[in-house]
Amino acid sequence: MEEGQPNQGIVLDVLAERYASPEMAEIWSAAGKVRLERELWIAVLKAQRQLGLDIPDEAIAAYERVKNNVDLARIRTREHVTKHDVKARIEEFCALAGYEHIHKGMTSRDLTENVEQLQILRSLLLLRDKAVACLARLAERARELRDLVLPARTHNVAAQPTTLGRRLAMFGEELCLALEHLCWFIEHYPLRGLKGPVGTQLDLLTLFAGDHDKVHALEAEVARFLGFSRRLDAPGQVYPRSLDLAAASVLVQLASAPSNFARTLRLMAGLELASEGFSEGQVGSSAMPHKKNARSCERINALFAVLRGHWNMLAALAGDQWNEGDVSCSATRRVALPGMMLASDGILETFHWVVAHFTVFPGMIESEWRRYAPFLATTTLLMEAVKRGAGREQAHKALQRAAQAAAEALQRGEDAAAHFTARLAATPELGLDSATVQRVLAHAHGLLGEAHAQTDRFVAAAEAWLARFPQARAYAPRDIL
Amino acid sequence: MEEGQPNQGIVLDVLAERYASPEMAEIWSAAGKVRLERELWIAVLKAQRQLGLDIPDEAIAAYERVKNNVDLARIRTREHVTKHDVKARIEEFCALAGYEHIHKGMTSRDLTENVEQLQILRSLLLLRDKAVACLARLAERARELRDLVLPARTHNVAAQPTTLGRRLAMFGEELCLALEHLCWFIEHYPLRGLKGPVGTQLDLLTLFAGDHDKVHALEAEVARFLGFSRRLDAPGQVYPRSLDLAAASVLVQLASAPSNFARTLRLMAGLELASEGFSEGQVGSSAMPHKKNARSCERINALFAVLRGHWNMLAALAGDQWNEGDVSCSATRRVALPGMMLASDGILETFHWVVAHFTVFPGMIESEWRRYAPFLATTTLLMEAVKRGAGREQAHKALQRAAQAAAEALQRGEDAAAHFTARLAATPELGLDSATVQRVLAHAHGLLGEAHAQTDRFVAAAEAWLARFPQARAYAPRDIL
Amino acid sequence: MEEGQPNQGIVLDVLAERYASPEMAEIWSAAGKVRLERELWIAVLKAQRQLGLDIPDEAIAAYERVKNNVDLARIRTREHVTKHDVKARIEEFCALAGYEHIHKGMTSRDLTENVEQLQILRSLLLLRDKAVACLARLAERARELRDLVLPARTHNVAAQPTTLGRRLAMFGEELCLALEHLCWFIEHYPLRGLKGPVGTQLDLLTLFAGDHDKVHALEAEVARFLGFSRRLDAPGQVYPRSLDLAAASVLVQLASAPSNFARTLRLMAGLELASEGFSEGQVGSSAMPHKKNARSCERINALFAVLRGHWNMLAALAGDQWNEGDVSCSATRRVALPGMMLASDGILETFHWVVAHFTVFPGMIESEWRRYAPFLATTTLLMEAVKRGAGREQAHKALQRAAQAAAEALQRGEDAAAHFTARLAATPELGLDSATVQRVLAHAHGLLGEAHAQTDRFVAAAEAWLARFPQARAYAPRDIL
Amino acid sequence: MEEGQPNQGIVLDVLAERYASPEMAEIWSAAGKVRLERELWIAVLKAQRQLGLDIPDEAIAAYERVKNNVDLARIRTREHVTKHDVKARIEEFCALAGYEHIHKGMTSRDLTENVEQLQILRSLLLLRDKAVACLARLAERARELRDLVLPARTHNVAAQPTTLGRRLAMFGEELCLALEHLCWFIEHYPLRGLKGPVGTQLDLLTLFAGDHDKVHALEAEVARFLGFSRRLDAPGQVYPRSLDLAAASVLVQLASAPSNFARTLRLMAGLELASEGFSEGQVGSSAMPHKKNARSCERINALFAVLRGHWNMLAALAGDQWNEGDVSCSATRRVALPGMMLASDGILETFHWVVAHFTVFPGMIESEWRRYAPFLATTTLLMEAVKRGAGREQAHKALQRAAQAAAEALQRGEDAAAHFTARLAATPELGLDSATVQRVLAHAHGLLGEAHAQTDRFVAAAEAWLARFPQARAYAPRDIL
């Protein structure tokens, strides 16, 4: 490309270009898809010859020779004539090879549906392994931060003690549930197969002179080639679009834990408890040089919105099949299928990076702790009061009054802990003597309940996932844009 | 209620009132939920006493006595004071019983999350059995219509022969896939359990003086009571909302086949090939008395749009958890959780009725067949030409030219079949002699490929589902509004 | 209702029951709708008689007499027979009156579409006035908080100074834009009118013996009665569903500013800068008595998710009209039309309450200010350096280095301001002498740019809205559940 | 690009590549955006110099010289270092020019938000003109088909007579409503302007030594340059995302009429009443050569699903602003903003083509007419009976019985018209003598009500739109892929 002569008007897919990994982009690139189609055609050719059809060796060899010769512009030119994309690609491949043997007994959808399902399957496998890698990294950080105590927050307000490791375990468990779902989906994902224009396999049966077994053998071979263990039996021209939607649904579930994690890290950054990390050379804000923005966490949330948009595109197709089908799903799927895979990939890539790089500020966490410690013990104080015979409701009211007075003192800038303790001792209906109150408050740091055990069990679960999919070790957090 | 004094301003839930079954409405009614909560509280009380807490027998007996005494108005009055719905229900139950023992060591979400999950689980089980019943009915009709040949349509235009039974098998297979997914989800659906305000079980641990085993035993007993086999380990105050969304996703998949079926039956009604059936006393159109409208099929499609709307409500919650959670999901779930169950139930109720009652018009199907038969054989003619050595592309072009000419004749009102046959015989590059053409056209009716076998396999699959869930036999198609 | 005999299985619309106002619930109640329909029928009857049709006075009088006699149960019983809801309501009204004169020349949709549009219009007018009331209240608070300086935050991190009044103006301006849009929509909202079964007004024309003028006069009278200034001319049986969606879109826009405000107040509550307020008697958290939760703000966000779900339901109808229409929109609109109005109403009711009641904690805001003041001046320092001849990029890098070092000191608990100042003076490439730095930092509090003027302009804009719709003064913030 | 060396892994934006026009793609191309940004920077520079800032002439000249020198790869390389896209583009432009003067007093969003709004505005203007062109074409066809009578269908079943021109007017009126809305939106669309990092314009005020007037003058000049007549006054760092959503909403409305038209033409194709047209060289179905598929109409529906998905992406941003904003919207908007414009453009391009090329089959329409004529007169017969004194309800029942019997005869293949007439004459409660029945049936063709007048009014309305935007004449239906 000449300087000053940029590729005018070219619009790249922004998900592939900015957020997703090269390996995911490759699966959904135009050239990659053409190569996949040609492999499918050749596989069908070979199986057809094996099953007795009259197909010359030289033809197959010719197709093999030119299969990587992908000229998208020339295919597009053909499509402008035929107004039919598959037809254009058949013509191109035949013209290159100098034969007219491919696509026999097949309809367009015998090609496209199967290739698309292959793209879906390969994408899901990639996402599964990456999710396992993220999970393993999250478990590492949970182990590292297992003992870092901080106030858990509900309604965005300090509530009871937890540890940062335990908080990560919370997101981790959600990710495990999604992974489990994804694995089930992959294992049960059925291939449409070679079904012909309306699903009855009529043309293949004609091609094989009515021999049902040969039709089945051909289809089984194609499924094997593509890596599917199950096949649909009675689809129409198209497979049910609720299958695409089910895949999208699992991806939305998969992205939920990263999105929750990101949302929470953005909140922690607002309290200066943590930062998502900063790459060498990164410029925070062009105008405000001191800021370390949670821009990658924000990106995770942003991509999650994209993903749910793709879900909605596919949801408009499910349940909208007319008879045996048509192409009213085509443009939608051309956008949403790659879109949802690239967005999911971008989410996991970003999540992986953030999980690996986020840093915590123990000084700030300590100061946060001191501020809220007295309040964090209130439920324990309530329990103690109840154990001593106080009515739950009355004790609750008394504690609430004392705590709110202390909170107001804090908001005025006074010492809330002292304020709170004094008031409780002066509240006889609680039945709590001053020593008990002091003891509970002094030990607030230890009011962690099952936090450690929960963290440890999550770490063990993550390790089991990694043991099940050891190839996930290959994924390191990658530098992101 | 006095005549002329209607319940002014009362807005009933329209899904429960018009479309869903009483058994589903009961699960989500306000009174039903209060009863469920009270049973949970009593179960917790009993387990707590068994595990050594000091809870008098009389207290439990008192709670048991009043548990069905549900006065929603009085609870609402309490809520207007407390601004806290759970608090209001605790106060009401305690006031009725004259004790203050329930809810010890629990936070609001220990109550509400578990009860809501129970409502979800029971709803899913109900929908599962109904879906199996629908499937069985669909298989019956597929068997009945196994041999009724008609032109399959793609792009809404006659394409190749199929049978009506085979078309039903297409929708049936989609339903089987969704059912399989639903069953997996139900089996793996984990209960949040009793986790306390931030998920660490601190308060229960305090209540049981640090005895971890008792905490686990208590939680296990509650899960057993509710019918769950799995529990979450490390949620925050709330369980991950991606779980709600996963349930919604499965329901959208479940409704897709009924929606596809409905869409297609509406198309068939437009061609007068079939009608969804007409109840005794039903008025078609108030203005156009002759019409038999596919209003129930239209309703299925309408409710499917509702369901996807509920999915979107829940999708706004997934991935939006702040720290350990809050109630920014509350109003959303109050609408979407019952909504999605009631809409799904309405879809299955309506689908069941239509599957049982739809009628076909063999006279019209026969006339449709005669009109399109010549065209339906074109792919077979193409295969024959290829078998005789014609290049696929050239043969295709020749056939296309002939078919389009015949189609134009048809559109002018002429005899298309004769037109087509004559033209083919006059096209030497096809290598098809007139006798072959005649033979293929004459046997168009038999060009069904695997249609019969596919239908039979679907019928067998449906029977296997019914054998697995025999309780589904209890569901008969119910009269709908 | 007897004690212990709750209305088993009754499911109330949760939006109407918990969140919306009685006046909005009345618009969408079943009984209210029946009354509206009857008024429409009577209006049509009167106009028909006036235009020369033979309708006895006694008949009209009889209909008038019974019009408020609404027995929903009996109508439902009729519907179970006819399977047609409008037919059931015609029969009921005629049976009550003892005449058969209503609905002449009309089809069901001539009734229902117009009544629904009336419900929509009345709801929009109500929401408009409430939004103006909210705006006025927001302007009051903006004026009150005009001079309360605090760090504005971007990426949830302190960025530059602003005032709280200015922050409210930001949300207020967004609300103004939505209001402007809503007003435009209301003014241009066209009534479907009396168009007959396929839109051609054939039956009315027959009824009036081909007199076009009478048909137009009748329709104009009905539109006048309903309060519409525009009519559609050429709809089918149904009006375009994109009109419903356009209404829903405006509502989503209307709810965006309240939702943004709520989200931000939840963040401020997390920093203890503000609280949404606490009603007398309110119980914060049943388990954690000290907490003042932003539960109403959370509700606003929750209802916004509901509203967008309803948008999606209606979006499935737009662009899905088959020929002149059908009822595949019916169940969807029965859910989504009331739903979106009730949810919007709940959002505005809650927003109004929070705007009126939220409190700020000046002590905490002051302490927040001290912590961040040095950093908030960095862009001013950058400008100063550029004015003194420094290259923008180099100055930026130098400032960034100094600011990040200071931020790290802060995170270690040191005095960040002192740290920062010292470092800047020791950075010659900035060209900033120590006195200049001190001066800028000392005046950070005044670095408000246009904040005051922006606030004042918003307050003036809000006042102009209130002057345009003075009836909005009638709305006071109402106690919410 | 070498043969056999395709651009591995490149994923093009499929909407831009396949469906949208080059002029819309140009607006959203990466290179185009960089050029726009540079023009904005230079405009700011010039205005700043004019307002007294010290900016050398040579610097501006240098920037001007290199502004079209766009090397996306080099910018990307810079971004990999800075992790900040705007910073990368500033550095690149400065490096090319050899000066560091641009972006003074600006923050990233001062650049990006304004450029994005410019892209939005230009896209909307383009879509407006195209929609007017489509409308004009639709009016042409409506005029041409004004007198072609066919049965209007409700519930997909023949209901009453209409004309094809009248049916087009129905879709046309919906399009007019959307256009009106779009024009309002464009006229009221406000620019964010130069507001600085938190919206207070602090840095510009510093740059201009506190001179408010100069700040306003600068902003006004930029708005003028971009073509906006309104500006926001008090946004945060970002403008309210509800504005993006409002634009998306208008586009969804704009696409609804084309989608309704497409859906209906697909139905008409199924009845062989019409076809969307066939380009020279187009291959129908690769397997079924006779078929003329409504693939372009299907595409319109497919792209409409895409558009609604983009709406959902943007809906996740509205109401989710944290404080003064962040980039949690960035990835979402990078996908959805171009996406919704490109999809809308693709819809209008395709719609334009189909409206211009669709053909009707008068022979088939005639035969359809003959089949349904008797039934189409039933409402007129009902009116006649009522005029003669029959009770509406009884007459309705009698007609229904007769019509359904005739419909059953039709479904058996008998002569329905004769059947129907005979039966009516034998139904005394109708009070219709045989001559009246005959007369009504004979004139069924004329039972068009207001159809002609409605069509004519639509045509006039379309002409008024074209007169208002005469530049729309430049758009001819373009060949589509």
Side-chain angles (χ1 to χ4, degrees), chain A residues 362-424:
Chain A
M364 290 300 285
I365 289 179
E366 173 61 24
S367 123
E368 169 95 345
W369 176 260
R370 278 196 309 269
R371 188 193 303 212
Y372 293 110
F375 303 113
L376 303 184
T378 50
T379 52
T380 309
L381 289 167
L382 180 61
M383 286 297 99
E384 293 285 342
V386 168
K387 274 201 289 185
R388 275 163 184 72
R392 197 187 177 288
E393 297 314 300
Q394 284 163 316
H396 187 276
K397 268 182 209 135
L399 272 164
Q400 186 178 38
R401 249 179 269 118
Q404 289 181 353
E408 281 156 24
L410 177 66
Q411 282 149 7
R412 286 188 308 268
E414 302 169 13
D415 181 339
H419 198 282
F420 191 45
T421 320
R423 171 118 186 202
L424 291 181

Side-chain angles (χ1 to χ4, degrees), chain B residues 18-54:
Chain B
R18 294 189 71 83
Y19 307 117
S21 64
E23 58 269 22
M24 185 61 88
E26 171 59 25
I27 294 176
W28 295 96
S29 71
K33 188 172 183 181
V34 169
R35 278 190 292 276
L36 272 177
E37 285 181 353
R38 291 177 179 180
E39 297 208 21
L40 176 60
W41 273 320
I42 291 171
V44 171
L45 269 188
K46 287 179 176 170
Q48 287 179 336
R49 189 183 47 178
Q50 212 172 342
L51 291 162
L53 294 196
D54 179 24

Side-chain angles (χ1 to χ4, degrees), chain C residues 81-102:
Chain C
V81 178
T82 60
K83 310 279 169 192
H84 194 292
D85 58 339
V86 171
K87 194 86 184 166
R89 298 204 293 278
I90 294 173
E91 286 180 7
E92 169 73 3
F93 197 22
C94 288
L96 285 171
Y99 285 90
E100 276 193 22
H101 280 287
I102 57 163

Side-chain angles (χ1 to χ4, degrees), chain A residues 87 90-91 100 102-106 152-156 159-162 166-167 169-171 173-174 177 180-181 184-185 188 190 195 197-203 205-207 212 216 230-237 240-243 245-246 249-250 252-253 256 259-260 263-264 267-268 301 304 308 311-312 315-327 379-380 383-384 386-387 391-394 396 447-451 453-454 457, chain B residues 87 90-91 100 102-106 152-156 159-162 166-167 169-171 173-174 177 180-181 184-185 188 190 195 197-203 205-207 209 212 216 230-237 240-243 245-246 249-250 252-253 256 259-260 263-264 267-268 301 304 308 311-312 315-327 379-380 383-384 386-387 391-394 396 447-451 453-454 457:
Chain A
K87 194 85 186 165
I90 294 172
E91 286 181 6
E100 277 193 19
I102 57 164
H103 205 69
K104 273 182 200 165
M106 292 169 69
R153 285 180 173 242
T154 55
H155 304 277
N156 203 24
Q160 271 189 345
T162 193
R166 165 61 174 82
R167 181 173 277 177
M170 173 174 70
F171 301 123
E173 183 177 50
E174 186 178 17
L177 288 172
E180 186 181 49
H181 200 167
W184 177 84
F185 186 83
H188 292 78
K195 294 295 192 292
V198 305
T200 57
Q201 304 190 301
L202 171 64
D203 301 336
L205 207 58
T206 308
L207 195 68
H212 297 255
H216 287 178
R230 297 177 87 199
R231 278 178 283 153
L232 291 174
D233 189 43
Q237 182 177 85
R241 291 330 187 195
S242 59
L243 259 186
L245 190 62
S249 299
V250 174
V252 172
Q253 189 181 356
S256 293
S259 182
N260 279 332
R263 201 84 65 179
T264 295
L267 291 169
M268 293 178 72
N301 294 147
F304 188 53
R308 289 174 294 170
W311 188 94
N312 270 288
L317 306 182
D320 191 38
Q321 187 175 321
W322 288 21
N323 308 299
E324 277 70 30
D326 49 53
V327 298
T379 52
T380 309
M383 286 297 99
E384 293 285 342
V386 168
K387 274 201 289 185
R392 197 187 177 288
E393 297 314 300
Q394 284 163 316
H396 187 276
L447 297 173
L448 291 168
E450 292 286 301
Q454 291 167 332
R457 285 191 292 264
Chain B
K87 194 85 185 165
I90 293 173
E91 286 180 6
E100 276 194 21
I102 57 165
H103 206 68
K104 274 183 199 163
M106 293 171 68
R153 284 178 173 244
T154 55
H155 304 277
N156 203 25
Q160 272 189 344
T162 193
R166 165 62 173 83
R167 180 173 278 178
M170 174 174 70
F171 301 123
E173 184 177 50
E174 186 178 16
L177 289 171
E180 186 180 49
H181 200 167
W184 176 85
F185 185 82
H188 293 76
K195 293 295 192 293
V198 305
T200 56
Q201 305 189 301
L202 172 64
D203 301 336
L205 207 58
T206 307
L207 195 67
H212 297 256
H216 287 177
R230 296 178 89 199
R231 279 179 283 153
L232 291 174
D233 189 42
Q237 181 177 86
R241 293 329 187 195
S242 60
L243 259 186
L245 190 61
S249 299
V250 174
V252 172
Q253 190 181 356
S256 294
S259 181
N260 279 332
R263 202 83 67 179
T264 295
L267 291 167
M268 292 177 74
N301 293 148
F304 188 53
R308 289 174 293 170
W311 188 95
N312 270 288
L317 306 183
D320 191 36
Q321 186 175 322
W322 287 23
N323 309 297
E324 277 71 28
D326 50 53
V327 299
T379 52
T380 309
M383 286 298 99
E384 292 286 341
V386 168
K387 275 202 288 188
R392 197 189 176 288
E393 298 314 302
Q394 285 163 316
H396 186 278
L447 297 172
L448 291 169
E450 291 287 301
Q454 290 166 332
R457 285 192 292 264

Side-chain angles (χ1 to χ4, degrees), chain D residues 250-301:
Chain D
V250 174
L251 295 182
V252 172
Q253 189 181 356
L254 189 68
S256 294
S259 182
N260 279 331
F261 166 86
R263 202 83 66 178
T264 295
L265 196 55
R266 290 167 61 196
L267 292 167
M268 293 178 72
L271 295 162
E272 312 232 15
L273 305 176
S275 157
E276 70 171 33
F278 223 53
S279 312
E280 202 54 47
Q282 182 176 346
V283 172
S285 155
S286 73
M288 290 162 290
H290 69 284
K291 293 180 64 182
K292 292 187 176 178
N293 297 334
R295 61 172 201 98
S296 304
C297 286
E298 289 166 11
R299 176 181 300 175
I300 291 170
N301 294 147

